[in-house]
Amino acid sequence: MDGHAAATDLELLRAHVDGDPHAFAELFRRHRDRLWAVALRTLGDREEAADALQDALLSAHRAAARFRGDSAVTTWLHRIVVNACLDRIRRRQAHPTVPLPDGNRAEDGSGVGGPEPAAPAPDHDTALVVREALAALPLEQRAALVLVDVQGYPVAEVARILDVAEGTVKSRCARGRARLAVLLGHLRPAVAATPSPRPDPTGPTGDVPAVTPGNPGPAEGVGSRSSRYRRDANQEDT
């Protein structure tokens, strides 16, 4: 295990492909905080983000042998995580959930079985308002803004992660910022100009969920749940 700490990301990935049972876990440990932050900020929901991160890790675990080194390992991992998140958003939009009954209706269905719940107190948490505004953006703009403005990645690196031109990243960020300026116009200008502070990996929103990335056996059904990020994980072959 001591040798893993000195190994490069690429060396760890190759060791994993060669059958090292601990190499992938070390690779995940190095990058989990930022991968988790990207998933959480992109999806805006801790449970969804944890599921997306788990899906992405399984995809990366299986596609490791096809990684050709055309990009940095960390870029490859971020690309898989982002695609897993966007795929979940698309599925959620295609199959919206139905709200559960509020429990206040009478058994005869008259709707007068009890008092209506009190209206929730206004939420003055600016971070929550900003997260909701981010969630209202088109997927491509949201992904670009999360990576550039929230996580602080250089535009060139984001272009590699999203597999688009740098100009496309800049355009998506510009359009996203313009939309946020409208959505957050009721806030003070300084807040409207900045989508969200970068998450603190040690803070309450940065807690990384318990994901077990070690050398798992084939997980039935996981690979078939989504074809998009599975294809993206394999795009090193193309």
Side-chain angles (χ1 to χ4, degrees):
M1 293 290 292
D2 293 339
H4 289 149
T8 66
D9 289 348
L10 184 57
E11 289 170 342
L12 286 174
L13 194 64
R14 287 174 174 168
H16 160 66
V17 172
D18 291 339
D20 187 324
H22 305 293
F24 195 84
E26 171 62 21
L27 183 64
F28 169 67
R29 185 196 64 77
R30 289 183 182 182
H31 302 291
R32 62 183 178 184
D33 288 348
R34 299 202 81 179
L35 294 174
W36 165 244
V38 167
L40 181 60
R41 296 296 181 178
T42 302
L43 287 165
D45 179 274
R46 296 181 65 84
E47 183 176 348
E48 287 277 328
D51 288 344
L53 185 57
Q54 181 74 68
D55 288 349
L57 288 173
L58 286 171
S59 182
H61 189 279
R62 291 166 173 166
R66 294 184 290 274
F67 179 76
R68 297 188 306 177
D70 295 339
S71 63
V73 173
T74 182
T75 299
W76 177 70
L77 289 172
H78 277 76
R79 184 184 304 148
I80 296 174
V81 170
V82 169
N83 284 329
C85 291
L86 297 183
D87 190 61
R88 280 189 164 267
I89 294 172
R90 292 185 182 99
R91 292 204 306 269
R92 187 169 60 194
Q93 291 175 342
H95 304 284
T97 56
V98 178
L100 295 175
D102 59 16
N104 291 312
R105 294 185 179 276
E107 292 183 1
D108 61 4
S110 63
V112 292
E116 289 294 320
D123 193 339
H124 298 291
D125 185 350
T126 300
L128 177 60
V129 174
V130 173
R131 285 198 298 272
E132 291 176 345
L134 276 172
L137 296 179
L139 300 186
E140 291 78 9
Q141 294 175 20
R142 186 195 314 185
L145 277 180
V146 165
L147 290 168
V148 174
D149 286 357
V150 180
Q151 297 304 122
Y153 289 95
V155 169
E157 177 69 6
V158 174
R160 288 189 289 269
I161 291 173
L162 299 179
D163 197 22
V164 297
E166 291 184 32
T168 301
V169 174
K170 294 176 182 178
S171 176
R172 290 176 181 178
C173 286
R175 292 198 302 270
R177 291 175 190 131
R179 286 174 179 263
L180 285 182
V182 174
L183 294 171
L184 302 176
H186 60 288
L187 301 177
R188 61 181 184 275
V191 174
T194 304
S196 175
R198 299 183 191 177
D200 179 0
T202 62
T205 62
D207 296 337
V208 181
V211 179
T212 305
N215 257 344
E220 294 297 329
V222 176
S224 63
R225 287 165 58 189
S226 168
S227 60
R228 174 173 176 80
Y229 66 77
R230 189 167 63 244
R231 292 195 303 271
D232 288 312
N234 297 338
Q235 66 183 353
E236 290 291 337
D237 291 330
T238 61

